[in-house]
Amino acid sequence: MKILFATIVCFSLGALVALAGGDSTTKIEGSWTATAGSDDGKKIPPEAIGKLMMVVVFKDGNYTVSIMGKEVEKGTYKMNATKKPATIDMNVQEGKDKNKTQIGIFKVDADQLTMAVVIGSKNRPKTFDPAVGVEVREIGRAHVELQSLTNLV
């Protein structure tokens, strides 16, 4: 009876935490648009980010990356939100880095997702600072504009 009660309490607490703010798994799911970044320690100019129109979608353990409306990468991902910072491993199934693994760290702050990843390395980044061999991406949650909704009615 005590074990049953403890199990019910644990599940209830988990449900309350999920309802209160969700875990990092649910926080990362959805569509994200690039807002800033760096490659190999060099900042990507804001005008280049705007022209690329990079969109990343995370859903049910799968992800896609699109540039200017064209899907350029697809794969699966696993996260560990209990680590500090949280970790992410992305297995590329289609695209330039097919059959490679991108390992990294991430943080979600409201509607901003920051990721630092390396491709084909076993040395996971430890910070979000630009560095040689590290891709840092800041992406904001994509929102449907109110104007677009009124056009549908």
Side-chain angles (χ1 to χ4, degrees):
M1 188 61 135
K2 288 180 184 180
I3 293 173
L4 178 61
F5 179 73
T7 303
I8 291 170
V9 168
C10 287
F11 281 122
S12 298
L13 288 174
L16 285 174
V17 168
L19 288 173
D23 61 14
S24 289
T25 305
T26 57
K27 287 181 182 179
I28 199 173
E29 288 211 348
S31 295
W32 301 84
T33 305
T35 58
S38 68
D39 274 333
D40 243 357
K42 297 175 187 157
K43 184 177 178 180
I44 301 171
E47 54 277 1
I49 299 244
K51 286 179 184 176
L52 287 175
M53 300 184 309
M54 184 174 101
V55 176
V56 182
V57 178
F58 294 98
K59 183 162 176 58
D60 299 329
N62 297 296
Y63 77 94
T64 60
V65 178
S66 298
I67 305 270
M68 295 173 45
K70 182 181 178 199
E71 188 176 283
V72 296
E73 187 172 291
K74 186 180 203 175
T76 60
Y77 70 93
K78 291 183 182 178
M79 302 179 321
N80 185 341
T82 63
K83 300 238 179 184
K84 298 297 177 208
T87 62
I88 187 165
D89 295 349
M90 298 182 292
N91 295 307
V92 183
Q93 297 173 333
E94 293 180 22
K96 173 177 72 99
D97 295 316
K98 183 177 181 177
N99 297 324
K100 292 184 181 174
T101 300
Q102 300 174 4
I103 61 172
I105 56 175
F106 74 95
K107 64 181 176 181
V108 180
D109 185 19
D111 284 343
Q112 188 71 25
L113 169 62
T114 305
M115 301 177 71
V117 299
V118 293
I119 301 168
S121 172
K122 294 183 191 268
N123 298 319
R124 188 181 304 275
K126 297 190 182 339
T127 70
F128 297 98
D129 298 328
V132 174
V134 178
E135 292 181 8
V136 179
R137 298 289 180 266
E138 293 180 27
I139 52 180
R141 190 171 299 279
H143 295 283
V144 177
E145 293 183 20
L146 190 54
Q147 184 63 38
S148 298
L149 291 176
T150 56
N151 290 338
L152 293 175
V153 178

